[in-house]
Amino acid sequence: MATASSVQPETLRTLPSDAARQVLWGFADRYDLQMLVQSSRAVARGPVARLVASGGRNSHEWTPEKAALLEAFDGAGITAVFMEPEEGGLFAGPKNLALALVAFELAWVDGGAATASLAGCLALAPIHERGTDAQQQRYMKLAAPAQPGEDRKPWRGAFCLTEPIPYVGVDTGMLNGKLRIVEWKAGEEPVLQLEKRGRFITNIGFANFVTAAVDSDDERIKGSCMVILEEGDPGIFDRGTPTKKMVHQLSSTGDPIFNLRVPASRIIGGYDVQDGVIVPRYNHSEVIEAVFRRTRVTVGVMTAAKLLSSVEPIIRYQRGRFRGAETATPGSVRYELGLQAREDALHRLVDVWATGEASASLGFAAARAFDELDPLEKEMEKLYAERGIAGAKAKMKLLREAADRAVELMQLPADDARRKPLDSDLLLRFVALDSIADVLCPAAKLWNTGVGTQLMREAVSLMGGYGITEDCPGFLGNKWMDAQLEATYEGPEAVQRRQLSVTMTNPVFLAQFRGWIGEMRGIASEHPGTGACALATAMSMWLWTLDHLQNSKDADGGRLYQSARQGVTFPLADALCWLVAARCQILDVLRLQQEGAQEASLAEELNGLVNFLMDLCHVQTARASGEVARIAAELVFGYNRHPAWDEAGTRGCWHEDELDALESFIPGINSYALDVVKGDGSRPKKAGPCVECHAAQPFLSLHARLDACLTGSRLAKDRAAEAISKLMIPEALDYPV
Ligand SMILES: Cc1cc2nc3c(=O)[nH]c(=O)nc-3n(C[C@H](O)[C@H](O)[C@H](O)COP(=O)(O)OP(=O)(O)OC[C@H]3O[C@@H](n4cnc5c(N)ncnc54)[C@H](O)[C@@H]3O)c2cc1C
């Protein structure tokens, strides 16, 4: 009989089921989304996969075969996800999680296909977020797929912000696209002339309308705005030549040229006329801020899908690597395990899988946060109207007051009844969630795509030479390159880091972040195997470092935490992302454990899967903690000047004769003393006397504690690796390669 200590905990036997994923990612109660996942998957693993396998990515042109995918999207309900039911959409309410799930399914097979679908939503998003009622009604209906009995093709859109060098790129504030008034008859709508060149514009090969950012070139138009262009507008609507992309070839990209006459009613969000000047209600920055805030989450989810999609092909490759060789007979380790008999091959796959889980959890958490935020934003609009608050300044004042109150309440103990308004007061709920969404969105875009691309390289390398061929199962080589585009478009990493460096210092966010440390310790006391305790220590270290950098100067007296000092703010933003992703991963696994227990269909799978996913959490928290410790140490110490062997530097050093004199009173002191200057003036061979770190003592204590907190994380990795070596996978991938 097995003794208690020899009983192995259950572990996963198969890849996670859909039912488990639904609970894990928080849509077990959404039958509509579960259906959407199935229909998106049928398109991804059907027509999309067939097109990739037959070489559809080998052309830059927009081919009929690629165009056919758009119809497949329409047929599967993918195009309609963005719209409301009255506009021809699938379901009412927020759509962030729905769009993220569609992106996940399509990107599981091909990122370009996912982008082709999402770019249509991106084109509509300015109208959806800031358009007038009339604009929303017109373009949403035109872009919705035809209803049964309707004889029309849905309009496709493109979003045009980026311009040829030297204009819009990372710095979206500088626009070369211009807008002038060419006709303004008394009592009539002004007619505008729009000139803009775009660069790398997705969907442009077939777009029927374009939402374009332009600046005023006329003293009768104030500032910038976004304008809707239609392909039938008088003037030039030149789609340009296709971009010679090495990535996402199933989407259309090009450099268009527009020189068109449009009515002023095409200004997104409308305009007012003040003293004979057209004043757009929203400048282009306000529109794109509202748009990217949501759409960047879906991009982050795409890279997560790539990592998780690579697990099954890698396992199959590793297992079958030596089959067919004379020495690899069925039943032998070589035959059954192949490369999985090697620890490193398994450990690296654990890393890929753990990062995939963390990035999916972060991406879906961000999408769910925006689903929660959308209705709150609407309620806030009502609240402003009821209180007669108009104008950005008045709104900011109200939000600032609410933020101060929220921070005050968040500092109270978790069980203090005075905290109640945090859950019931609209303003407080809004500022709290808004501050989190402000961090989750750029974190998901930055971390998922940046770290995801690095891990995709690992995934490719695990397939050896096969990984960098077109025949690689799961198209892993394509996915590696595609991930780099996901890190670039909709604002590359510098943009996300810049945004995080501001939003992560919002006191409302920081107050909640402090609460997360307690939350992680609480989880650790119930579930030590998650690594939540290490994460809590790493979170404390991140907070200490932020505070230190905000209140310290470099060796030359320069302020450390300031916007121009990207060498300080950007790495700290990166460090935060590791923490946020690992936290989301842990919270998801706990949801699976708790809610999954109510699901009869998960009874067989649940315990083993939860144990395995907790081990992945532990692996990920160890990696995240290590990253935080590395980045923080460099920032805390790196801006001090190292003491030299000069007069000032050696002032605190021992001198040989002093030590000799002391030795008779304190025997052994000689062997403890560092940095001893000898009688002849010679000194140890090193950069200078060792640094005294009194001010950073709390940091060093945290560092020592964090190192010890990693206890057990490698045992978790060993367990996860062993589980992967025993896991059953299907005979073949469920899509063609
Ligand atoms: C295939 C594809 C599809 C695209 N689709 C669209 C689309 O549909 N619509 C659209 O409008 N655009 C689109 N783009 C454009 C894309 O959004 C931009 O390429 C991207 O935002 C980066 O701008 P850029 O290429 O001008 O890079 P740059 O601005 O030149 O940046 C290059 C690098 O310089 C650094 N850098 C630049 N500025 C700063 C700064 N202030 N601080 C620190 N570092 C900085 C960053 O590391 C950055 O990664 C697409 C691009 C591609 C390749």
Side-chain angles (χ1 to χ4, degrees):
M1 210 174 105
T3 61
S5 62
S6 69
V7 175
Q8 293 293 316
E10 268 186 76
T11 190
L12 89 165
R13 287 172 234 158
T14 56
L15 292 164
S17 66
D18 277 341
R21 290 293 187 198
Q22 288 155 12
V23 182
L24 191 74
W25 293 332
F27 64 105
D29 56 345
R30 293 284 304 271
Y31 187 65
D32 50 355
L33 297 187
Q34 293 163 20
M35 290 291 97
L36 180 65
V37 164
Q38 294 307 323
S39 60
S40 307
R41 186 175 298 172
V43 177
R45 301 186 195 190
V48 172
R50 284 197 293 275
L51 187 53
V52 179
S54 63
R57 289 179 58 122
N58 296 337
S59 158
H60 304 299
E61 304 298 326
W62 184 244
T63 60
E65 293 77 24
K66 294 180 193 175
L69 291 184
L70 299 180
E71 283 169 28
F73 296 157
D74 296 343
I78 292 172
T79 316
V81 173
F82 195 72
M83 289 102 190
E84 294 301 318
E86 59 276 18
E87 297 159 349
L90 283 188
F91 40 75
K95 315 277 189 283
N96 304 286
L97 182 57
L99 288 165
L101 288 166
V102 169
F104 185 88
E105 287 302 327
L106 292 176
W108 186 274
V109 176
D110 187 80
T115 293
S117 138
L118 293 174
C121 306
L122 183 62
L124 283 168
I127 303 171
H128 181 264
E129 297 303 327
R130 293 288 179 261
T132 61
D133 287 348
Q135 288 166 347
Q136 288 182 4
Q137 275 179 24
R138 174 173 170 77
Y139 294 97
M140 294 296 167
K141 279 200 177 133
L142 282 170
Q147 298 295 313
E150 251 190 314
D151 182 22
R152 66 171 180 86
K153 282 195 179 301
W155 274 29
R156 316 287 180 189
F159 171 89
C160 183
L161 171 66
T162 309
E163 296 176 349
I165 285 170
Y167 296 100
V168 191
V170 165
D171 285 311
T172 52
M174 294 184 294
L175 283 172
N176 193 39
K178 294 287 181 260
L179 196 62
R180 288 189 306 279
I181 299 170
V182 285
E183 204 178 289
W184 194 350
K185 291 187 187 147
E188 286 186 20
E189 185 88 73
V191 179
L192 311 174
Q193 187 78 28
L194 178 143
E195 276 180 54
K196 176 160 173 123
R197 280 167 176 264
R199 187 180 192 218
F200 305 147
I201 304 306
T202 307
N203 279 8
I204 200 60
F206 52 83
N208 309 99
F209 73 97
V210 174
T211 43
V214 280
D215 208 352
S216 167
D217 189 29
D218 192 318
E219 55 192 19
R220 292 169 299 162
I221 303 175
K222 186 166 179 229
S224 67
C225 60
M226 286 200 77
V227 177
I228 308 166
L229 311 175
E230 295 185 5
E231 68 180 326
D233 288 331
I236 298 168
F237 189 108
D238 181 346
R239 299 175 190 278
T241 48
T243 307
K244 291 187 178 160
K245 286 180 293 187
M246 298 196 289
V247 293
H248 281 214
Q249 290 94 339
L250 294 193
S251 69
S252 147
T253 314
D255 297 357
I257 301 169
F258 305 112
N259 193 344
L260 298 166
R261 268 181 174 226
V262 294
S265 59
R266 297 277 190 79
I267 293 175
I268 294 179
Y271 61 94
D272 298 303
V273 177
Q274 290 172 7
D275 302 326
V277 173
I278 292 179
V279 183
R281 294 207 183 110
Y282 300 102
N283 65 37
H284 86 285
S285 300
E286 286 166 332
V287 181
I288 60 176
E289 203 179 300
V291 167
F292 282 152
R293 201 162 179 237
R294 287 165 171 78
T295 56
R296 282 173 174 156
V297 172
T298 12
V299 180
V301 168
M302 283 167 59
T303 320
K306 292 177 162 64
L307 289 175
L308 291 178
S309 77
S310 70
V311 169
E312 186 188 330
I314 292 172
I315 294 177
R316 190 172 295 106
Y317 176 78
Q318 291 180 330
R319 297 252 179 96
R321 178 66 179 84
F322 303 120
R323 289 182 192 167
E326 272 178 30
T327 51
T329 47
S332 68
V333 172
R334 236 171 134 66
Y335 182 92
E336 299 300 335
L337 287 178
L339 285 168
Q340 294 201 335
R342 305 286 169 220
E343 185 169 270
D344 184 65
L346 282 169
H347 276 193
R348 283 178 195 276
L349 180 53
V350 170
D351 287 336
V352 170
W353 196 337
T355 309
E357 293 295 340
S359 53
S361 290
L362 171 56
F364 288 124
R368 291 194 306 269
F370 280 100
D371 272 2
E372 219 182 305
L373 192 63
D374 282 359
L376 284 191
E377 281 182 345
K378 291 201 176 98
E379 285 182 51
M380 284 296 294
E381 288 306 322
K382 275 194 220 150
L383 181 139
Y384 292 138
E386 279 161 20
R387 299 196 185 178
I389 296 173
K393 261 195 188 159
K395 288 179 186 171
M396 284 300 294
K397 185 166 174 274
L398 184 72
L399 292 177
R400 236 187 344 260
E401 285 164 6
D404 290 345
R405 227 180 111 217
V407 172
E408 231 171 76
L409 296 181
M410 284 168 186
Q411 280 161 355
L412 295 169
D415 55 356
D416 194 310
R418 283 171 296 169
R419 287 176 66 106
K420 218 161 175 221
L422 286 170
D423 299 322
S424 56
D425 183 305
L426 170 62
L427 260 168
L428 300 187
R429 277 166 56 216
F430 175 75
V431 290
L433 186 56
D434 197 47
S435 72
I436 301 246
D438 267 349
V439 167
L440 287 182
C441 171
K445 173 73 164 67
L446 172 64
W447 192 82
N448 285 14
T449 63
V451 175
T453 306
Q454 291 169 13
L455 267 291
M456 264 319 293
R457 194 202 72 79
E458 287 286 344
V460 168
S461 80
L462 289 173
M463 304 287 276
Y466 207 11
I468 37 178
T469 67
E470 286 181 11
D471 300 328
C472 179
F475 313 124
L476 299 193
N478 291 344
K479 286 174 181 167
W480 172 31
M481 282 289 282
D482 284 356
Q484 180 53 41
L485 174 61
E486 287 141 33
T488 301
Y489 70 3
E490 290 205 32
E493 284 139 294
V495 174
Q496 315 310 321
R497 291 185 173 115
R498 205 168 47 185
Q499 193 183 334
L500 273 168
S501 66
V502 176
T503 57
M504 71 190 189
T505 57
N506 178 348
V508 187
F509 169 71
L510 289 175
Q512 291 173 93
F513 185 83
R514 278 191 195 93
W516 293 355
I517 298 176
E519 173 198 50
M520 285 298 124
R521 297 254 186 250
I523 289 173
S525 77
E526 300 289 319
H527 309 280
T530 52
C533 224
L535 198 65
T537 308
M539 286 173 162
S540 303
M541 177 184 273
W542 183 87
L543 260 185
W544 190 95
T545 307
L546 172 68
D547 184 63
H548 173 79
L549 295 170
Q550 283 178 320
N551 294 295
S552 307
K553 297 195 167 156
D554 68 13
D556 297 319
R559 268 199 312 128
L560 284 172
Y561 201 94
Q562 52 162 314
S563 67
R565 203 118 197 209
Q566 296 177 343
V568 175
T569 57
F570 282 19
L572 208 58
D574 287 329
L576 176 67
C577 292
W578 283 95
L579 298 172
V580 172
R583 172 179 177 265
C584 291
Q585 186 183 5
I586 291 174
L587 294 181
D588 274 0
V589 177
L590 292 186
R591 180 184 23 250
L592 176 63
Q593 187 180 44
Q594 281 149 20
E595 293 179 17
Q598 325 299 324
E599 292 281 335
S601 62
L602 288 178
E604 284 254 310
E605 177 187 14
L606 191 67
N607 287 344
L609 178 59
V610 166
N611 287 340
F612 173 75
L613 290 178
M614 278 191 185
D615 280 337
L616 291 191
C617 287
H618 208 159
V619 168
Q620 193 61 27
T621 53
R623 175 79 204 278
S625 306
E627 286 295 322
V628 172
R630 178 184 66 75
I631 293 170
E634 219 177 296
L635 294 176
V636 168
F637 297 107
Y639 285 100
N640 300 330
R641 189 159 290 120
H642 200 291
W645 293 112
D646 55 13
E647 203 274 320
T650 52
R651 215 172 282 150
C653 292
W654 291 102
H655 289 260
E656 198 176 26
D657 49 354
E658 288 171 347
L659 281 176
D660 288 345
L662 281 173
E663 185 69 29
S664 54
F665 304 109
I666 315 170
I669 189 167
N670 254 319
S671 53
Y672 285 106
L674 284 169
D675 299 337
V676 182
V677 180
K678 297 221 163 122
D680 61 2
S682 64
R683 33 76 174 176
K685 282 198 178 359
K686 56 196 185 87
C690 279
V691 185
E692 300 279 345
C693 305
H694 300 303
Q697 206 52 52
F699 179 86
L700 293 174
S701 308
L702 272 173
H703 209 301
R705 187 171 166 197
L706 186 55
D707 289 349
C709 283
L710 302 186
T711 305
S713 60
R714 284 274 155 172
L715 296 176
K717 194 168 207 172
D718 281 348
R719 272 195 306 273
E722 196 186 343
I724 291 177
S725 72
K726 293 185 175 149
L727 159 75
M728 281 186 295
I729 55 163
E731 278 296 308
L733 263 192
D734 66 352
Y735 55 94
V737 286

